Amino acid sequence: MEENLLKTCLYDKHVALGALMSPFGGFIMPIQYTNITDEHNAVRQKAGMFDVSHMGEIFVSGPDAEKFVNHVFSNNIAGMEDGKILYGMMLYPNGTTVDDLLVYKEFVPDHYLLIVNASNIAKDYEWLCAQAEGYDVKVDNQSDEWGQIALQGPEAEKYAVETLGLAPAAELGFYTYYRTDDMIVSRTGYTGEDGFEIYASHEVINNMWDTLLAAGVVPCGLGCRDTLRFEAGLPLYGHELSDEITPLEAGLGMFAKIKDKAEFIGRDALVAQKEAGLTRKSVGIELQDKAIPRAGYPV
């Protein structure tokens, strides 16, 4: 089974650390290194790092890039400033979700970077190419070329600046980024904590992992990434969002700008759904005992 799964550029690091490995999104990924509770608390109290090299990087460029991305994206990128990042969704015409993603406004005119979920890279790329007909744009899937580390927690800035030497990271606001010739550093994450996501070549990401590990940053697996994002109320594609769930049903209508944008794929369906009223919606639950909620558990 493992032979059919993809490996990130940090796979050997996980194995060397004795991580529990398991399939996720077509990749073989670390679930935990020690235990989920310790890794979760490290991120909440100090700092932890995640291998997120399985995420997808799709670049869109060309004279029609803004018009095209706004057509396929539920949030509104019109007039977006260089170095800004927006969260939103790509939708099917019926309003359900192709994927949720981040759009980065590049520092070059008519260039955007789309960060998509690992399990959806091929699907998203095909969807974007299919929608690009009639637009003067280039859609370039560079997912195999980039590695990525998420450095998360209240001490993340200290490690980014003092340990990795990423001084400009301290000046970043939430959902902004800077880039060099071979690196992208964004103040984003998937834990509810402050932190950074660092994109670079496989070699650079491996070196950064070793540097952070030597400095005492705790390596964290997908197990605590799930508890952290769940605790913060952040959606995971395939669960709170899917090709059967709309952003309105997921409680994410604020990222679908049906009032601010006259047109985007799926808008008409969302307008109709809102006018008709929701027949289902996501809700929060409170546990009575100490436990970790998992997908498929009865409520």
Side-chain angles (χ1 to χ4, degrees):
M1 180 180 181
E2 195 169 312
E3 306 86 51
N4 299 322
L5 296 169
L6 299 171
K7 298 176 181 178
T8 73
C9 61
L10 291 169
Y11 172 82
D12 290 340
K13 305 292 184 185
H14 308 317
V15 173
L17 289 169
L20 173 65
M21 307 296 288
S22 184
F24 179 83
F27 288 78
I28 181 76
M29 296 293 293
I31 301 302
Q32 65 186 58
Y33 298 86
T34 54
N35 65 73
I36 292 174
T37 301
D38 288 348
E39 293 167 23
H40 180 111
N41 289 336
V43 174
R44 284 282 180 255
Q45 297 167 8
K46 293 183 178 180
M49 60 179 177
F50 300 81
D51 176 11
V52 283
S53 303
H54 59 316
M55 299 294 285
E57 295 86 14
I58 300 175
F59 291 80
V60 177
S61 60
D64 291 340
E66 179 181 296
K67 181 180 178 182
F68 171 67
V69 174
N70 234 10
H71 171 61
V72 299
F73 189 52
S74 65
N75 211 329
N76 190 4
I77 69 160
M80 191 174 174
E81 296 178 15
D82 294 352
K84 297 288 187 179
I85 306 167
L86 284 179
Y87 171 77
M89 301 89 196
M90 292 191 295
L91 304 178
Y92 292 108
N94 68 357
T96 63
T97 311
V98 179
D99 201 5
D100 63 328
L101 65 153
L102 297 177
V103 170
Y104 286 51
K105 176 64 172 66
E106 293 255 55
F107 293 90
V108 179
D110 302 320
H111 283 66
Y112 296 85
L113 167 59
L114 280 54
I115 305 298
V116 303
N117 285 299
S119 58
N120 292 335
I121 294 172
K123 180 186 74 172
D124 290 357
Y125 178 62
E126 291 175 4
W127 173 258
L128 286 165
C129 289
Q131 308 313 311
E133 185 176 352
Y135 290 88
D136 188 0
V137 294
K138 176 184 178 182
V139 181
D140 183 14
N141 180 11
Q142 296 185 16
S143 302
D144 293 339
E145 301 172 28
W146 294 84
Q148 185 187 352
I149 291 175
L151 176 60
Q152 300 283 294
E155 296 184 3
E157 182 181 304
K158 180 188 78 171
Y159 285 106
V161 174
E162 297 178 10
T163 304
L164 296 179
L166 305 176
E171 305 303 319
L172 291 176
F174 191 47
Y175 268 58
T176 67
Y177 76 102
Y178 77 90
R179 76 172 298 169
T180 63
D181 290 340
D182 56 2
M183 186 184 304
I184 296 170
V185 181
S186 64
R187 200 156 202 156
T188 53
Y190 193 53
T191 63
E193 292 292 339
D194 186 22
F196 303 89
E197 292 182 304
I198 306 163
Y199 307 77
S201 70
H202 296 177
E203 179 182 2
V204 170
I205 290 298
N206 270 270
N207 290 337
M208 284 189 171
W209 180 274
D210 290 342
T211 300
L212 291 169
L213 191 66
V217 177
V218 174
C220 299
L222 293 182
C224 84
R225 192 180 79 140
D226 198 40
T227 59
L228 289 161
R229 73 95 189 168
F230 203 79
E231 193 173 68
L234 301 174
L236 175 63
Y237 188 87
H239 296 262
E240 293 81 6
L241 282 168
S242 75
D243 57 8
E244 297 181 348
I245 302 173
T246 74
L248 301 184
E249 293 170 326
L252 298 168
M254 69 183 74
F255 303 107
K257 303 298 185 181
I258 57 179
K259 291 184 178 180
D260 299 336
K261 291 174 63 175
E263 186 277 332
F264 61 87
I265 297 174
R267 180 186 181 278
D268 291 346
L270 295 185
V271 170
Q273 186 177 57
K274 189 170 185 178
E275 290 176 349
L278 297 178
T279 58
R280 59 180 182 172
K281 64 178 182 178
S282 295
V283 297
I285 59 173
E286 183 178 353
L287 300 179
Q288 294 178 322
D289 301 308
K290 288 185 177 180
I292 296 175
R294 293 295 186 199
Y297 281 12
V299 176

